[in-house]
Amino acid sequence: MTILQFNERYPDEASCIHFFKEQREREGIICKKCKSREHYWLNSLNMFQCKHCEFRTGLKNGTVMENSKLPLRIWLLAMTLVSATKKGFSCLELQRQMGHSRYETVFRLYHKLREAMGKRDSQYKLEDMVEYDEAFVSKATKSSERMKLKKGRGSQKQASVAVMAESSILEDLITGEKDKSCRYFKMVKIDNLKAKTAEKLIKGLIDKKAVVQTDESTTYSNLEDCIDVHVSELSSTKEGKFNLKWVHIAISNLKRDLQKYHMVSEKMLQNYLNEFCYKLNRRYFGEKLFDRLVIASICPYLYTSG
Ligand SMILES: [Zn+2]
């Protein structure tokens, strides 16, 4: 949707209220008090009222917009712009595009949307063949701290990120050649490179029946409790040369993507990763990305599938 189309479809706050009301009705409203799904719409208050216990739910309650005083139209404009590009914006660029006067407001709003993307993706586990590796990305450090930092692998100027890619091997029936195709990715900021950290992530984010591929690091020598099958690089035979292909592609794309933000603080890094993966996982969605982001935003806590 272009800005011109946005202005035509949602010229005022009333049109945005109507849009979000319809979207929430479609996704279902759950009463916080009695868990009933049956509600009336109170036109004068712009609220839903539970048919059973009369508890009222505001249009923003239970969504990513809860506790926000911003007009719905500002949220909808941000969702439109954020979903219009395959790459993320810097907050400054989003502020410019929105024509909003306050950077802080846009910063908070954008990070809320990124959290919603992360919540949405956290509902799925990776299956089949999963590549797992760790990457280092530059992070912002205060100039006073910079002098004291050590150099080397896992340097304190860098943040560590666990990267997972769900892939499957495709075999060309005529030539017999094998390649990998990939579906979904996950990226999680990690505090350290300890085996326990990797084990916890693999247990939580990857289906137990999956085949997990890693490099030969000793970090991964005890994965049998987390996963049924673990193969490390070179230990598989024919497919060996394809090991970790997709995590490495994703890591180099991530590093290139993060450059546009100049410096990302460690605190906010997970949110950037959320948006990067969310869009990567929906790379073929095209214009549907907007609808999906609206759904992720209005029901980020309720969804279990879909
Ligand atoms: Zn109720």
Side-chain angles (χ1 to χ4, degrees):
M1 190 175 9
T2 64
I3 288 292
L4 204 65
Q5 287 167 325
F6 176 84
N7 284 329
E8 276 170 15
R9 276 182 220 176
Y10 312 107
D12 49 23
E13 188 67 0
S15 55
C16 298
I17 290 170
H18 180 74
F19 173 78
F20 277 112
K21 172 187 170 275
E22 286 201 326
Q23 293 292 319
R24 292 210 61 181
E25 280 172 343
R26 193 190 305 164
E27 300 310 316
I29 301 118
I30 300 176
C31 173
K32 224 174 174 179
K33 211 170 156 192
C34 75
K35 307 287 176 236
S36 163
R37 287 174 173 267
E38 292 181 301
H39 289 77
Y40 301 108
W41 172 248
L42 304 174
N43 216 2
S44 54
L45 296 172
N46 292 329
M47 288 180 124
F48 296 102
Q49 180 167 306
C50 175
K51 281 188 183 177
H52 298 269
C53 74
E54 300 193 338
F55 183 82
R56 286 173 184 175
T57 303
L59 216 39
K60 290 177 183 166
N61 292 126
T63 76
V64 76
M65 300 173 283
E66 191 164 287
N67 301 324
S68 162
K69 291 192 177 70
L70 289 173
L72 289 168
R73 193 164 184 270
I74 295 286
W75 280 98
L76 199 55
L77 176 60
M79 289 174 200
T80 303
L81 289 168
V82 167
S83 58
T85 152
K86 280 191 174 182
K87 307 279 177 189
F89 287 108
S90 69
C91 287
L92 208 59
E93 178 61 13
L94 184 62
Q95 182 196 7
R96 200 184 66 78
Q97 297 265 352
M98 290 176 71
H100 200 276
S101 59
R102 294 206 52 193
Y103 175 80
E104 275 295 304
T105 306
V106 174
F107 181 87
R108 273 204 302 274
L109 174 154
Y110 197 178
H111 279 288
K112 283 271 180 198
L113 290 179
R114 287 170 169 154
E115 280 170 28
M117 295 179 199
K119 275 186 204 276
R120 187 73 188 177
D121 270 351
S122 69
Q123 291 168 340
Y124 312 102
K125 281 195 171 189
L126 299 180
E127 299 169 337
D128 200 11
M129 305 274 280
V130 181
E131 302 170 17
Y132 182 101
D133 203 1
E134 283 145 1
F136 303 97
V137 297
S138 300
K139 66 174 182 186
T141 40
K142 287 182 191 151
S143 55
S144 57
E145 289 169 11
R146 223 166 286 154
M147 298 300 286
K148 302 177 204 159
L149 302 178
K150 296 173 197 162
K151 287 179 180 168
R153 189 178 187 258
S155 146
Q156 293 165 38
K157 283 183 193 168
Q158 293 185 311
S160 312
V161 178
V163 181
M164 288 152 263
E166 186 186 274
S167 63
S168 51
I169 292 171
L170 300 176
E171 185 170 350
D172 189 313
L173 290 175
I174 298 164
T175 63
E177 274 181 34
K178 288 179 179 172
D179 200 350
K180 271 175 160 184
S181 75
C182 74
R183 294 204 304 168
Y184 302 117
F185 294 86
K186 284 187 188 288
M187 294 186 182
V188 181
K189 182 186 89 68
I190 47 177
D191 295 330
N192 57 60
L193 303 173
K194 291 177 184 165
K196 285 245 174 305
T197 305
E199 287 161 18
K200 197 176 160 197
L201 280 179
I202 288 172
K203 220 171 188 170
L205 304 178
I206 301 175
D207 184 73
K208 197 170 187 308
K209 291 196 275 298
V211 176
V212 172
Q213 304 169 56
T214 65
D215 65 25
E216 299 231 291
S217 160
T218 51
T219 310
Y220 314 118
S221 51
N222 264 324
L223 291 181
E224 59 271 16
D225 287 346
C226 317
I227 214 84
D228 286 352
V229 185
H230 168 225
V231 290
S232 57
E233 220 165 17
L234 309 173
S235 66
S236 59
T237 50
K238 282 181 189 166
E239 292 82 18
K241 65 175 177 170
F242 296 121
N243 272 353
L244 308 182
K245 171 184 170 178
W246 285 108
V247 275
H248 291 157
I249 291 173
I251 288 167
S252 60
N253 284 342
L254 171 71
K255 287 186 176 178
R256 204 175 312 132
D257 192 65
L258 284 175
Q259 280 171 4
K260 71 169 171 286
Y261 301 118
H262 306 297
M263 273 297 174
V264 174
S265 75
E266 195 162 10
K267 196 177 155 201
M268 292 300 171
L269 177 60
Q270 186 59 53
N271 283 345
Y272 291 99
L273 298 176
N274 289 350
E275 181 176 12
F276 184 80
C277 281
Y278 183 89
K279 290 185 170 174
L280 194 56
N281 290 340
R282 292 160 184 77
R283 56 200 176 279
Y284 305 122
F285 276 38
E287 297 214 334
K288 282 190 196 141
L289 203 58
F290 169 74
D291 305 317
R292 309 314 293 183
L293 183 58
V294 169
I295 293 171
S297 301
I298 60 175
C299 285
Y301 319 109
L302 301 178
Y303 266 69
T304 51
S305 64

